[in-house]
Amino acid sequence: MPLSDISARIQAEEARVGRAPGSTRLIAVSKVQPIERVIAVLEEGHRLFGENKVQEAAGKWPELRERFPDVELHLIGPLQTNKARQAMQLFDAIETVDRPKLARTIARLKDELCTCPKLFVQINTGEEDQKAGVMPAEADAFIAECRALGLEVEGLMCIPPVEEEPSLHFALLKKIAERNGVPELSMGMSGDFEKAVAQGATYVRVGSAIFGERDYG
Ligand SMILES: *Cc1c(COP(=O)(O)O)cnc(C)c1O
């Protein structure tokens, strides 16, 4: 589906629920996609992208940024502490801060590098064992811990369980953000981004609906 159609659907949903036009930003999730498709979307003028692996992003974005310097890149996949330095140098936002050890590493590197990407805390709203993220009951304490380390928590991020109604998870994420004074919400993917807009997403992360199915073969 053309990017403009996705943007139009976001705008229509913003209007339907009475949100300000443009208050939801579209992250084009380019992981695993052929580079020509990514370049086509860049040539359409889109600049906000998401990748879920540091290594994969490091292999394509430094070169693409030379051609498109105003790109904004978000890390939306799990981050190992031993890749934190590279991630902080490559990404404009890390959406997957999810444990004290990682927060402490980022805080130390922030002092050393004198710069820090925007940070989002990932919340495991479905309390799934296999999924990353802070448990909802531990979210307030973890956000406070990040702040005590001198980190600014700019947003929360979640990936709802596939089998469940995503709106309930989006509403929970918003509630946690509100009570902690966190401004940004990254939620909603190809199958449910309109529901996320209705629940107040400020970022939606859409991959296959823009680029087509990912070919992992
Ligand atoms: C891959 C991915 C997306 C995009 O998924 P689609 O269903 O292709 O839109 C969004 N968020 C995260 C965290 C992802 O890993």
Side-chain angles (χ1 to χ4, degrees):
M1 192 182 293
L3 185 83
S4 53
D5 288 11
I6 307 285
S7 302
R9 283 169 61 184
I10 292 171
Q11 279 162 25
E13 190 61 17
E14 285 174 343
R16 193 186 70 81
V17 300
R19 291 187 51 192
S23 50
T24 317
R25 296 185 66 207
L26 171 60
I27 301 176
V29 178
S30 48
K31 66 181 185 204
V32 193
Q33 298 291 350
I35 197 79
E36 319 81 69
R37 287 199 205 145
V38 179
I39 291 171
V41 169
L42 282 159
E43 282 173 344
E44 277 183 68
H46 194 74
R47 289 294 178 270
L48 177 56
F49 289 82
E51 288 282 346
N52 77 335
K53 293 206 170 90
V54 176
Q55 226 50 49
E56 186 186 339
K60 61 181 138 174
W61 283 102
E63 212 168 310
L64 290 172
R65 272 193 209 268
E66 283 177 24
R67 271 177 74 188
F68 305 96
D70 49 346
V71 156
E72 183 181 333
L73 197 58
H74 285 218
L75 178 64
I76 61 173
L79 178 58
Q80 295 168 265
T81 42
N82 65 2
K83 297 222 174 79
R85 175 190 299 272
Q86 192 182 6
M88 289 173 74
Q89 289 165 330
L90 189 58
F91 290 95
D92 302 289
I94 295 173
E95 296 201 5
T96 50
V97 181
D98 64 353
R99 57 199 191 280
K101 187 181 176 205
L102 179 60
R104 286 194 301 272
T105 303
I106 292 173
R108 179 169 50 73
L109 289 166
K110 178 188 175 200
D111 290 342
E112 187 191 317
L113 303 170
C114 295
T115 174
C116 191
K118 285 190 207 164
L119 301 175
F120 291 50
V121 169
Q122 182 175 356
I123 310 290
N124 187 353
T125 58
E127 305 185 33
E128 296 172 279
D129 290 336
Q130 78 279 15
K131 215 165 256 174
V134 180
M135 292 296 165
E138 284 150 26
D140 297 5
F142 182 67
I143 293 165
E145 192 173 346
C146 290
R147 288 172 169 161
L149 287 165
L151 301 177
E152 199 165 325
V153 178
E154 304 212 17
L156 301 184
M157 179 273 219
C158 76
I159 309 169
V162 274
E163 313 281 282
E164 290 179 29
E165 171 52 50
S167 294
L168 302 173
H169 293 271
F170 299 154
L172 173 60
L173 195 71
K174 186 182 170 79
K175 201 170 114 192
I176 296 170
E178 278 178 347
R179 71 171 182 246
N180 285 285
V182 175
E184 310 285 351
L185 289 171
S186 173
M187 55 192 197
M189 316 194 339
S190 289
D192 55 19
F193 66 87
E194 283 150 315
K195 287 180 176 176
V197 172
Q199 296 296 329
T202 60
Y203 291 93
V204 291
R205 309 178 306 268
V206 180
S208 42
I210 297 172
F211 295 104
E213 289 305 320
R214 285 177 290 277
D215 181 1
Y216 289 94

